[in-house]
């Protein structure tokens, strides 16, 4: 059995050292390899450059308007409890059942469904029948976007809880509900918080669904959440499209605030996940 | 030993006294209903979209898909330019974004020194956390002027009058806005998804395979090309489909840079519109049939992305995905 490539036929690898590791490799193969390495590195640099370019742009243009940054923003998450419970079902009760697999599959699809469609959906079921944009409709839209994220992370985190913990609970005579609430949830607590943070990061920057639901209100938000409610993303959209210099300045300041807070949220969430594993 | 059994005996009645049966049942059913809600949500979205768009489908029938008229005065609506715009921006995003993502995944798994790997990985994933409206603003205020000055105008001068290329790449009004610009911005938005899933896939491949390939003298490129890519092939296609699903439905960034023209143009340099950008632009001023036509557009978008995402999920099976 001759496994060595033809170009390196006689000598074992160790002997090549005087000429470097490339000693007996044909130039065409060596060049293809080098080219690939350069391209892969360059592509990575391009992506990182774009990230820092965007961040740099936000800082440069946004920092001046920060003093005027008197925005309010609401990001209610009514999906939290429901999402957590659904994730619990998938991880604890529904293991391996066909229905649970279907729900998991659909949930994964909703996870990446375009958010503008969620906005349209909430418009059809909430805004149109009640004749008016409202903070409630915006909250429902964001909640629907948050649910799949929370379901997914909760399930993943509960699955990481080792089975002996549950078995020990059951062996003491605890019913499944007690095992789940007192043992599994407690063990997976940081992971479940991460899910909520990730969902928060996801919905905090959403604009499209709010266009059709909460719309916007340039004044303060009314405590009843009826009528348009001010929110940062739609404000940015409207101010950035406006022809006035000072409005655009405000849009930049708003963008800086929202991006920095979202990036921080995601970084914290990632740190927790890594600590948990 | 006796003490332990005593403790257990005294502990048992305490557990029995909890309302074990009822609470257990309530908890189980509550979590089941919560899970079922996911299915109800999907059914609700389908139902609401079809119901909302139905008047437009009934009015224009199959012609809604093929007509290019979008006339609010005469209440004539056709989806064709928006569908073409959606597909072409998504296609450009894939053409630009997939090689970049695969390059990044290869860099992260094969080339990067260990200390460098984690910060770069995090940076790439943070690209996904940047809100889409920020991409839109970056595109509009930074990328678009540069693109117009350094790509559109010189390129138009070069290709003017050439067959085919002269049509596809010529910009009549080099403003920087257009289908190609939108596609490039979209490419950067889908890179983190494709790159991180591909990276996870490449990392899952047993290192024995890689080592044996290196052992017979293969170069890094040959290992990637002949060992890793064939192993991870199907899931990489799944990751690409996931990116496609993102690109199809992306709204705010595209609305900023696509130019929002309702007519169909043969050139990728000209302004166009996508389904999502048209909805975002016109929805708040739309009345009557126009509103239903826009929801019908959303309905089409939903079915297209749904099919793409189903295929993607089947191919990727379960991987981490945000």
């Amino acid at each position: 059995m001759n496994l060595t490539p033809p170009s390196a036929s006689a000598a074992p690898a160790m002997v090549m050292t005087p000429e470097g590791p490339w000693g007996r490799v044909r130039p065409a193969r060596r060049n293809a390899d080098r080219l690939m390495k350069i391209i892969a590195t360059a592509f990575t640099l391009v992506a990182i450059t774009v990230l820092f370019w965007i961040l740099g742009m936000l800082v440069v243009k946004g920092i001046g308007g920060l003093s005027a940054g008197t925005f309010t923003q609401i990001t209610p998450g009514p999906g939290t409890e429901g999402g957590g419970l659904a994730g619990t079902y998938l991880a604890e009760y529904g293991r391996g059942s066909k229905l649970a697999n279907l729900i998991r599959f659909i949930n994964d699809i909703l996870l990446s469904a375009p958010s503008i469609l969620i906005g349209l959906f909430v418009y059809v079921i909430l805004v149109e029948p009640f004749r008016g944009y409202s903070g409630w409709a915006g909250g429902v839209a964001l909640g629907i976007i948050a649910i799949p994220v929370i379901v997914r992370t909760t399930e993943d985190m509960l699955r990481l809880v080792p089975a002996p913990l549950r078995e020990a609970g059951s062996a003491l005579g605890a019913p499944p509900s007690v095992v789940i609430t007192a043992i599994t949830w407690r063990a997976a607590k940081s992971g479940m918080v991460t899910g909520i943070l990730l969902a928060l990061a996801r919905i905090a920057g959403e604009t499209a669904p709010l266009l059709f639901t909460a719309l916007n209100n340039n004044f303060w938000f009314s405590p009843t959440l009826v009528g348009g409610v001010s929110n940062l993303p739609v404000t940015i959209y409207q101010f950035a499209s406006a022809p006035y210099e000072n409005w655009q300045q405000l849009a930049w300041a708003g963008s800086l605030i929202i991006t920095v807070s979202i990036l921080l949220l995601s970084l914290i969430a990632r740190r927790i996940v890594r600590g948990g594993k | 030993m006796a003490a332990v059994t005593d403790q257990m005996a005294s502990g048992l009645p305490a557990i029995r006294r909890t309302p074990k049966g009822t609470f257990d049942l309530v908890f189980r059913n509550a979590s089941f209903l919560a899970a079922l809600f996911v299915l109800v949500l999907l059914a609700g979205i389908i139902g609401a979209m079809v119901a909302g768009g139905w008047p437009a489908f009934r009015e224009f029938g199959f012609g809604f898909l093929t007509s290019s008229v979008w006339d609010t005065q005469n209440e004539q609506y056709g989806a064709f330019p928006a569908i073409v715009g959606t597909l072409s921006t998504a296609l450009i995003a894939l053409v630009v974004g997939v090689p970049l993502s695969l390059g990044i995944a290869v860099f992260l798994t094969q080339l990067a020194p260990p200390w460098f790997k984690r910060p770069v990985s995090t940076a790439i994933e943070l690209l996904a956390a940047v809100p889409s409206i920020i991409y839109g603003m970056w595109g509009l205020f930074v990328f678009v002027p540069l693109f117009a000055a350094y790509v559109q105008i010189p390129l138009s001068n070069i290709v003017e009058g050439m067959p085919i290329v002269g049509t596809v790449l010529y910009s009549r009004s080099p403003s920087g806005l257009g289908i190609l610009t939108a596609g490039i911005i979209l490419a950067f938005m889908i890179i983190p998804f494709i790159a991180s899933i591909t990276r996870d896939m490449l990392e899952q491949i047993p290192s024995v395979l890689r080592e044996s390939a290196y052992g017979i003298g293969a170069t890094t490129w040959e290992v990637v090309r002949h060992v890793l890519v064939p192993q991870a092939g199907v899931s990489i296609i799944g990751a690409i489909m996931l990116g496609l699903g993102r690109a199809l439905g992306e709204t705010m960034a595209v609305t900023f840079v696509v130019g929002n023209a309702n007519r169909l143009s043969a050139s990728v340099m000209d302004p166009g519109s996508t389904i999502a950008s048209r909805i975002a632009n016109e929805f708040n001023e739309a009345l009557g049939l126009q509103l239903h036509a826009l929801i019908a557009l959303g309905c089409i978008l939903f079915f297209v992305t749904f099919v793409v995402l189903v295929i993607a999920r089947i191919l990727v099976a379960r991987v981490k995905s945000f």
Side-chain angles (χ1 to χ4, degrees), chain A residues 5 29 33 36 43-44 57 89 93 104 108-109 112 116-117 120-121 133 152 176-177 211 233 255 270 274, chain B residues 23-24 28 32 44 99 107 125 133-134 137 142 216-217 220-222 251 283-284 298 310 313 318-319:
Chain A
R29 291 176 57 207
D33 186 66
M36 181 280 286
F43 282 1
T44 312
M57 171 201 77
Y89 176 79
Y93 290 115
R104 188 174 299 124
D108 278 353
I109 285 172
S112 18
I116 190 170
L117 296 178
L120 276 186
F121 165 64
Y133 298 100
R152 180 59 189 270
S177 57
L211 276 179
S255 313
R270 264 163 229 287
R274 220 175 272 137
Chain B
F23 180 68
D24 218 37
R28 197 200 149 93
F32 177 68
F107 176 81
E125 281 169 19
I133 191 165
I134 305 298
M137 289 183 73
V142 178
I216 59 168
T220 311
W221 164 240
E222 286 157 352
T251 312
F283 200 82
N284 287 326
V310 166
R313 288 295 171 185
R318 286 182 56 84
V319 285

Side-chain angles (χ1 to χ4, degrees), chain B residues 148-171:
Chain B
Y150 296 106
V151 179
Q152 275 195 332
I153 295 174
L155 198 66
S156 291
N157 289 337
I158 294 170
V159 299
E160 190 173 4
M162 288 186 192
I164 303 174
V165 189
T167 319
V168 177
L169 292 178
Y170 181 71
S171 49

